[in-house]
Amino acid sequence: MIKRPLGKTGMETSILSLGTGGARQFGQNMGHSIKDQTKLVHAALDMGINIFDTASHYGHSESILGNCLSGVQRDSFLICTKWPARDETDNTVLDPTKLIESVNKSLARLQTDYIDIMLFHGIMPDEYLSIVENLYPTMAQLKSEGKIRSIGFSSRFSEDPEQKSIELGLSQNPDLWDVVMLKYGILNQHAAKEILPLAQKHQIGTINMAAVRVKLPDANLLEELIAKWKSSGLIDINSLPSSDPLGWLIDGNVTSVIEAGYKFAAEPESISTVLTGTASIPHLKMNVESIREPNLKKEHLDRLKNTLSHIVEYA
Ligand SMILES: NC(=O)c1ccc[n+]([C@@H]2O[C@H](COP(=O)([O-])OP(=O)(O)OC[C@H]3O[C@@H](n4cnc5c(N)ncnc54)[C@H](OP(=O)(O)O)[C@@H]3O)[C@@H](O)[C@H]2O)c1
């Protein structure tokens, strides 16, 4: 498994990491048992994955992950977890005591003394400043106490598909952030414009989330989406075939569009790790294989960039 530095944190991440949110939520939505989840986590560790992503509100994901990893040597893996800084009822930014409370609860659920990567979850551009002013000092305090090792935030790409909050953070306060969680993939390459160069310049670790997600794995949805872009003039009508529009990526060492999706997501050196949200061990194996060589043929990469680099797709 290829390892990459997580910015300037001193940590190294496997190029593929396991996410326990997204549609699969660690198999919680699929009736998976703790035995299944433990097998998945141990299969990931055996394949060389050393980083696991969770969040305080991915169902019971933190507790499940804590259980799955109990007994595993603590310094052999990294945990990333997140906290939504916003009160869902009135959309106001929460106060620092809630952050301390939540981190303590996360530590207990994860059965650990420290969190390697602690993120503000899904920051919107209009709350960025308030989070920096009102909550960042508490996060820094938690870091100085050794409860967390690095600080970052993720974007809410469903509502901010251009990830303006990350552009803001990396351009205005690059010194504050150790890590950002962003979305970069075939159907949303926007991060390549400003975010990835800024992350590289300031040595900020990048965790790539939801690079495959919903539409790449589903041939029908993909056809519909590309047809919509053609009819709205977003892409040239002749740029991609109408049927199986990305099928041409299946070539040489690429056996599926999904595989191409993970390779594409890991191709920039400025990406530290790519999350896969699969709950299936066979799929995990395939994804590990995919990312063993994180590059597409140059002409395929160029075609994807030339055709789709201006698209900012949510799913
Ligand atoms: N910070 C945030 O706001 C945020 C937002 C979204 C996600 N995330 C994190 O990012 C992680 C990854 O995002 P995601 O869950 O959307 O992941 P993803 O890896 O982009 O997509 C996962 C989907 O692809 C399918 N899939 C994966 N590998 C496959 C394969 N080889 N063959 C067929 N289908 C395959 C999965 O189904 P199967 O289970 O059937 O394989 C699942 O439906 C999440 O788990 C979460 O930890 C964070």
Side-chain angles (χ1 to χ4, degrees):
M1 175 75 71
I2 296 171
K3 290 232 176 124
R4 286 184 177 169
L6 186 66
K8 55 184 177 312
T9 62
M11 295 182 242
E12 276 205 322
T13 53
S14 50
I15 191 169
L16 194 73
S17 37
L18 185 65
T20 65
R24 297 307 194 200
Q25 292 249 327
F26 215 173
Q28 290 176 92
N29 300 337
M30 304 155 75
H32 286 196
S33 65
I34 183 72
K35 214 167 151 191
D36 300 321
Q37 288 146 338
T38 305
K39 277 190 192 153
L40 179 71
V41 166
H42 282 260
L45 289 166
D46 290 345
M47 289 180 228
I49 288 176
N50 77 341
I51 160 162
F52 299 89
D53 177 56
T54 179
S56 57
H57 56 292
Y58 283 172
H60 300 288
S61 156
E62 283 189 331
S63 311
I64 298 167
L65 190 60
N67 262 312
C68 295
L69 288 167
S70 73
V72 180
Q73 193 181 311
R74 181 62 186 88
D75 62 2
S76 66
F77 60 85
L78 304 172
I79 296 176
C80 173
T81 192
K82 325 182 201 69
W83 175 70
R86 172 187 347 95
D87 187 333
E88 294 296 339
T89 51
D90 61 5
N91 251 347
T92 52
V93 168
L94 291 167
D95 70 74
T97 56
K98 299 274 185 222
L99 170 58
I100 296 170
E101 233 171 71
S102 180
V103 167
N104 286 332
K105 283 185 182 162
S106 291
L107 287 167
R109 286 190 291 255
L110 288 161
Q111 303 181 32
T112 184
D113 299 330
Y114 60 89
I115 291 160
D116 302 281
I117 304 149
M118 183 70 215
L119 308 181
F120 292 107
H121 198 164
I123 292 191
M124 289 296 285
D126 61 357
E127 61 198 8
Y128 174 81
L129 198 60
S130 169
I131 286 172
V132 165
E133 283 175 359
N134 299 315
L135 292 167
Y136 188 91
T138 306
M139 207 55 123
Q141 177 65 28
L142 290 164
K143 189 176 173 184
S144 70
E145 289 168 10
K147 289 189 171 179
I148 63 177
R149 294 177 68 198
S150 63
I151 303 175
F153 67 99
S154 69
S155 69
R156 190 143 32 120
F157 62 83
S158 55
E159 287 159 64
D160 174 23
E162 292 187 349
Q163 306 178 98
K164 291 281 180 206
S165 59
I166 301 191
E167 278 182 20
L168 200 62
L170 299 197
S171 55
Q172 297 203 354
N173 317 97
D175 297 342
L176 294 185
W177 307 110
D178 302 308
V179 180
V180 287
M181 183 176 285
L182 52 86
K183 178 175 169 77
Y184 171 76
I186 291 178
L187 303 181
N188 187 338
Q189 303 176 22
H190 190 74
K193 290 189 171 64
E194 305 243 342
I195 293 173
L196 292 179
L198 281 170
Q200 192 155 37
K201 177 175 171 198
H202 298 290
Q203 287 186 282
I204 294 168
T206 56
I207 302 177
N208 191 0
M209 62 179 160
V212 167
R213 197 84 175 166
V214 177
K215 292 185 179 159
L216 275 188
D218 186 320
N220 293 330
L221 287 179
L222 194 57
E223 279 183 18
E224 276 170 29
L225 187 67
I226 302 247
K228 189 181 85 182
W229 293 341
K230 285 184 182 177
S231 67
S232 66
L234 206 53
I235 62 170
D236 186 273
I237 196 144
N238 297 315
S239 58
L240 295 171
S242 308
S243 164
D244 198 9
L246 296 180
W248 47 272
L249 287 166
I250 300 171
D251 185 15
N253 67 351
V254 178
T255 59
S256 70
V257 173
I258 293 172
E259 188 169 340
Y262 286 115
K263 281 182 187 292
F264 184 90
E267 183 264 334
E269 283 289 328
S270 49
I271 297 281
S272 310
T273 184
V274 176
L275 282 162
T276 176
T278 185
S280 144
I281 294 175
H283 287 175
L284 185 65
K285 276 192 186 136
M286 288 164 65
N287 301 344
V288 167
E289 278 310 310
S290 309
I291 221 152
R292 211 175 281 289
E293 287 175 23
N295 39 36
L296 293 167
K297 274 187 173 172
K298 183 171 181 326
E299 67 256 40
H300 288 178
L301 195 61
D302 289 347
R303 186 173 177 190
L304 287 172
K305 290 183 177 178
N306 291 336
T307 318
L308 300 175
S309 64
H310 58 298
I311 304 284
V312 185
E313 175 62 26
Y314 151 60

XYZ file of all heavy atoms in Angstrom, residues 18-26 30 53-54 58 82 119 121-122 154-157 181 183 208-214 217 256 258-259 262 275-280 282-284 286-287 290, ligand 1:
405
model
N -10.561 4.042 4.993
C -11.931 3.510 5.089
C -12.848 4.528 5.765
O -12.583 4.960 6.890
C -11.928 2.192 5.875
C -13.282 1.483 5.949
C -13.759 1.014 4.567
C -13.232 0.292 6.910
N -13.928 4.876 5.069
C -14.928 5.805 5.606
C -16.099 5.024 6.173
O -16.506 3.992 5.619
N -16.649 5.533 7.275
C -17.769 4.825 7.902
C -19.030 5.677 7.900
O -19.919 5.479 8.712
C -17.387 4.400 9.339
O -17.198 5.595 10.116
C -16.128 3.568 9.368
N -19.065 6.649 6.973
C -20.280 7.452 6.800
C -20.846 7.178 5.419
O -20.942 6.026 4.999
N -21.197 8.254 4.711
C -21.734 8.100 3.347
C -22.993 7.262 3.341
O -23.661 7.076 4.364
N -23.320 6.731 2.182
C -24.561 5.976 2.037
C -24.533 4.686 2.860
O -25.548 4.259 3.408
C -24.788 5.648 0.564
N -23.372 4.076 2.979
C -23.298 2.764 3.641
C -23.235 2.842 5.154
O -23.616 1.882 5.824
C -22.069 1.992 3.115
C -22.130 1.681 1.618
C -23.418 0.989 1.271
N -23.368 0.395 -0.063
C -24.419 0.069 -0.761
N -25.623 0.314 -0.285
N -24.295 -0.480 -1.944
N -22.697 3.952 5.669
C -22.615 4.136 7.136
C -22.066 2.895 7.828
O -22.629 2.421 8.809
C -23.984 4.493 7.704
C -24.469 5.853 7.295
C -24.515 6.841 8.449
O -24.774 6.482 9.587
N -24.250 8.087 8.154
N -20.983 2.314 7.277
C -20.316 1.186 7.961
C -21.214 -0.051 7.951
O -21.115 -0.903 8.828
C -20.069 1.598 9.423
C -18.814 1.075 10.056
C -18.452 1.516 11.331
C -17.980 0.171 9.426
C -17.311 1.066 11.960
C -16.831 -0.287 10.047
C -16.494 0.159 11.319
N -27.472 -1.493 6.483
C -27.628 -2.709 5.684
C -27.766 -3.944 6.576
O -27.637 -5.063 6.093
C -26.404 -2.872 4.777
C -26.141 -1.668 3.886
S -24.407 -1.586 3.429
C -24.323 -2.890 2.221
N -12.157 6.851 8.984
C -12.898 8.099 9.183
C -14.268 7.823 9.791
O -14.987 6.918 9.354
C -13.091 8.817 7.829
C -13.922 10.081 7.993
O -13.521 10.933 8.808
O -14.974 10.201 7.341
N -14.608 8.617 10.800
C -15.908 8.483 11.419
C -16.409 9.893 11.790
O -15.816 10.879 11.384
C -15.830 7.526 12.643
O -17.108 7.428 13.248
C -14.816 7.984 13.686
N -22.438 9.781 12.857
C -22.668 8.762 11.818
C -23.335 7.558 12.498
O -22.738 6.485 12.607
C -21.348 8.296 11.196
C -20.679 9.218 10.186
C -19.392 8.928 9.719
C -21.315 10.339 9.673
C -18.760 9.738 8.791
C -20.678 11.164 8.753
C -19.404 10.856 8.318
O -18.774 11.657 7.394
N -15.168 13.774 13.484
C -15.623 15.135 13.162
C -16.763 15.543 14.086
O -17.472 14.686 14.621
C -16.140 15.214 11.721
C -15.424 14.352 10.737
C -15.975 14.553 9.335
C -15.664 13.384 8.447
N -16.390 12.150 8.788
N -11.884 17.068 13.074
C -12.366 18.034 12.090
C -13.666 18.699 12.533
O -14.541 18.048 13.105
C -12.653 17.340 10.748
C -11.564 16.474 10.115
C -12.066 15.905 8.782
C -10.292 17.261 9.891
N -17.002 19.551 11.200
C -17.675 18.797 10.134
C -18.551 19.704 9.271
O -19.469 20.354 9.783
C -18.554 17.725 10.781
C -18.962 16.625 9.856
N -19.469 15.442 10.314
C -18.925 16.506 8.513
C -19.739 14.652 9.294
N -19.418 15.287 8.178
N -18.276 19.726 7.988
C -19.178 20.386 7.042
C -19.359 21.872 7.271
O -20.476 22.355 7.397
N -14.020 19.945 7.299
C -14.475 19.420 6.005
C -15.505 20.390 5.439
O -16.091 21.197 6.161
C -15.097 18.025 6.160
O -16.319 18.102 6.860
N -15.718 20.279 4.133
C -16.705 21.137 3.482
C -18.057 20.419 3.493
O -18.121 19.207 3.708
C -16.296 21.390 2.036
O -16.428 20.201 1.301
N -19.126 21.192 3.276
C -20.449 20.570 3.115
C -20.755 20.625 1.621
O -21.402 21.548 1.132
C -21.478 21.342 3.935
C -22.786 20.639 4.015
C -23.503 20.762 5.361
N -23.327 21.959 6.119
C -24.319 22.784 6.488
N -25.554 22.540 6.131
N -24.084 23.848 7.226
N -20.225 19.629 0.877
C -20.218 19.764 -0.585
C -21.614 19.685 -1.197
O -21.825 20.130 -2.316
C -19.258 18.755 -1.238
C -19.611 17.319 -0.990
C -20.558 16.686 -1.758
C -18.976 16.604 0.007
C -20.895 15.363 -1.539
C -19.306 15.275 0.243
C -20.267 14.650 -0.529
N -10.728 18.043 4.750
C -11.399 16.943 4.057
C -12.202 17.556 2.922
O -13.071 18.406 3.147
C -12.313 16.161 5.005
C -12.957 14.958 4.322
S -13.952 13.935 5.440
C -12.705 13.078 6.345
N -13.690 17.152 -1.449
C -14.155 16.212 -2.472
C -13.457 16.562 -3.783
O -13.533 17.704 -4.242
C -15.672 16.348 -2.632
C -16.276 15.445 -3.706
C -17.799 15.602 -3.676
C -18.493 14.971 -4.861
N -18.599 13.515 -4.767
N -9.559 12.908 0.837
C -10.517 13.038 -0.274
C -11.741 12.165 -0.005
O -11.653 10.943 0.059
C -9.819 12.628 -1.588
C -10.643 12.972 -2.815
O -11.740 13.522 -2.713
N -10.123 12.634 -3.979
N -12.895 12.818 0.168
C -14.117 12.083 0.527
C -15.040 11.929 -0.684
O -15.025 12.755 -1.595
C -14.880 12.849 1.609
C -15.353 14.227 1.164
S -16.267 15.076 2.468
C -16.155 16.777 1.934
N -15.800 10.888 -0.671
C -16.932 10.740 -1.592
C -16.536 10.910 -3.055
O -17.257 11.527 -3.832
C -18.030 11.734 -1.201
N -15.389 10.368 -3.428
C -14.869 10.550 -4.787
C -15.665 9.739 -5.803
O -15.709 10.064 -6.986
C -13.408 10.132 -4.821
N -16.309 8.684 -5.345
C -17.074 7.809 -6.247
C -18.568 8.002 -5.993
O -19.345 8.251 -6.908
C -16.623 6.339 -6.055
C -17.588 5.377 -6.708
C -15.221 6.163 -6.652
N -18.932 7.834 -4.731
C -20.275 8.165 -4.257
C -21.420 7.438 -4.970
O -21.444 6.230 -4.984
C -20.450 9.687 -4.349
C -21.604 10.248 -3.550
C -21.277 10.493 -2.149
N -22.289 11.134 -1.364
C -22.241 11.168 -0.048
N -21.261 10.610 0.603
N -23.188 11.754 0.641
N -22.304 8.170 -5.659
C -23.552 7.566 -6.131
C -23.567 7.368 -7.648
O -23.956 6.318 -8.146
C -24.749 8.474 -5.734
C -26.042 7.900 -6.271
C -24.826 8.633 -4.231
N -20.849 4.751 -9.758
C -21.116 3.304 -9.753
C -22.390 2.897 -10.489
O -22.616 1.721 -10.721
C -21.265 2.947 -8.263
C -20.769 4.112 -7.501
C -20.917 5.301 -8.393
N -13.047 -1.145 -14.379
C -14.397 -0.591 -14.181
C -14.306 0.922 -14.049
O -13.231 1.474 -13.758
C -15.040 -1.167 -12.909
O -14.381 -0.653 -11.764
N -15.673 2.538 -11.686
C -15.424 2.797 -10.260
C -13.917 2.804 -9.996
O -13.382 3.686 -9.315
C -16.115 1.721 -9.390
C -17.630 1.863 -9.527
C -15.677 1.792 -7.944
C -18.412 0.749 -8.879
N -13.250 1.811 -10.587
C -11.798 1.727 -10.419
C -11.139 3.012 -10.950
O -10.262 3.593 -10.302
C -11.270 0.500 -11.178
C -9.832 0.223 -10.899
C -9.385 -1.150 -11.450
O -10.253 -2.016 -11.688
O -8.191 -1.322 -11.631
N -11.537 5.854 -8.384
C -10.594 5.905 -7.247
C -9.188 6.283 -7.724
O -8.479 7.021 -7.051
C -10.573 4.564 -6.494
C -11.816 4.341 -5.646
C -12.708 3.313 -5.925
C -12.109 5.172 -4.561
C -13.857 3.113 -5.160
C -13.247 4.984 -3.787
C -14.117 3.946 -4.093
O -15.236 3.767 -3.317
N -10.766 8.339 0.664
C -11.677 7.492 1.444
C -12.496 6.616 0.521
O -12.977 7.069 -0.523
C -12.643 8.375 2.238
C -12.090 9.013 3.501
C -12.968 10.174 3.932
C -11.983 7.976 4.618
N -12.668 5.376 0.923
C -13.685 4.560 0.269
C -14.746 4.254 1.317
O -14.428 3.872 2.444
C -13.115 3.271 -0.354
O -14.214 2.519 -0.885
C -12.354 2.394 0.618
N -16.000 4.432 0.918
C -17.088 4.249 1.877
C -17.752 2.891 1.745
O -18.869 2.698 2.204
N -17.048 1.948 1.130
C -17.658 0.637 0.932
C -17.849 -0.104 2.257
O -17.051 0.048 3.182
C -16.809 -0.235 -0.033
O -17.521 -1.446 -0.282
C -15.436 -0.561 0.531
N -18.894 -0.934 2.301
C -19.089 -1.798 3.468
C -18.852 -3.253 3.068
O -19.181 -4.166 3.822
C -20.501 -1.619 4.011
N -18.298 -3.448 1.872
C -18.135 -4.807 1.341
C -16.648 -5.160 1.254
O -15.857 -4.397 0.669
C -18.785 -4.844 -0.057
O -18.080 -5.666 -0.939
N -15.165 -7.654 -0.496
C -14.707 -7.818 -1.887
C -14.504 -6.473 -2.598
O -13.529 -6.304 -3.328
C -15.834 -8.636 -2.543
C -16.499 -9.349 -1.404
C -16.370 -8.455 -0.214
N -15.402 -5.515 -2.363
C -15.234 -4.196 -2.994
C -13.995 -3.483 -2.435
O -13.268 -2.820 -3.170
C -16.478 -3.333 -2.781
C -17.652 -3.771 -3.607
N -18.896 -3.206 -3.506
C -17.753 -4.726 -4.576
C -19.720 -3.807 -4.364
N -19.047 -4.730 -5.007
N -13.791 -3.661 -1.136
C -12.606 -3.028 -0.530
C -11.330 -3.562 -1.190
O -10.426 -2.801 -1.533
C -12.598 -3.306 0.975
C -11.496 -2.620 1.773
C -11.667 -1.101 1.751
C -11.469 -3.111 3.210
N -11.063 -4.788 -4.179
C -10.958 -4.224 -5.529
C -10.416 -2.794 -5.476
O -9.580 -2.397 -6.292
C -12.343 -4.200 -6.201
C -12.855 -5.570 -6.600
S -14.634 -5.539 -6.950
C -14.690 -4.492 -8.362
N -10.886 -2.048 -4.485
C -10.474 -0.643 -4.407
C -9.002 -0.511 -4.011
O -8.299 0.378 -4.489
C -11.394 0.129 -3.459
C -12.844 0.061 -3.915
O -13.120 -0.306 -5.066
N -13.778 0.367 -3.035
N -7.219 -1.174 -7.123
C -7.337 -0.021 -8.036
C -6.281 1.028 -7.748
O -5.709 1.629 -8.645
C -8.673 0.698 -7.871
O -9.726 -0.173 -7.945
N -17.098 15.341 5.783
C -18.181 15.079 5.124
O -19.064 15.900 5.085
C -18.316 13.766 4.412
C -19.298 13.635 3.419
C -19.377 12.444 2.737
C -18.514 11.418 3.030
N -17.576 11.555 4.003
C -16.657 10.443 4.345
O -16.147 9.927 3.123
C -16.388 8.516 3.101
C -16.495 8.062 1.669
O -17.624 8.652 1.026
P -18.708 7.710 0.342
O -19.271 6.793 1.357
O -19.603 8.551 -0.469
O -17.736 6.808 -0.492
P -17.350 6.412 -1.968
O -16.255 5.468 -1.751
O -17.129 7.590 -2.838
O -18.664 5.666 -2.507
C -19.199 4.599 -1.801
C -20.243 3.942 -2.685
O -19.564 3.302 -3.792
C -19.837 1.897 -3.762
N -18.600 1.175 -4.082
C -17.378 1.365 -3.556
N -16.483 0.519 -4.088
C -17.170 -0.247 -4.976
C -16.801 -1.295 -5.849
N -15.533 -1.734 -5.932
N -17.764 -1.857 -6.632
C -19.048 -1.414 -6.583
N -19.454 -0.413 -5.767
C -18.527 0.176 -4.974
C -20.268 1.596 -2.325
O -21.130 0.472 -2.300
P -20.688 -0.928 -1.591
O -20.799 -0.743 -0.124
O -21.665 -1.893 -2.181
O -19.286 -1.211 -2.042
C -21.003 2.882 -1.940
O -22.317 2.872 -2.407
C -17.635 8.318 3.958
O -17.768 6.996 4.398
C -17.337 9.292 5.075
O -16.440 8.694 5.990
C -17.454 12.724 4.681
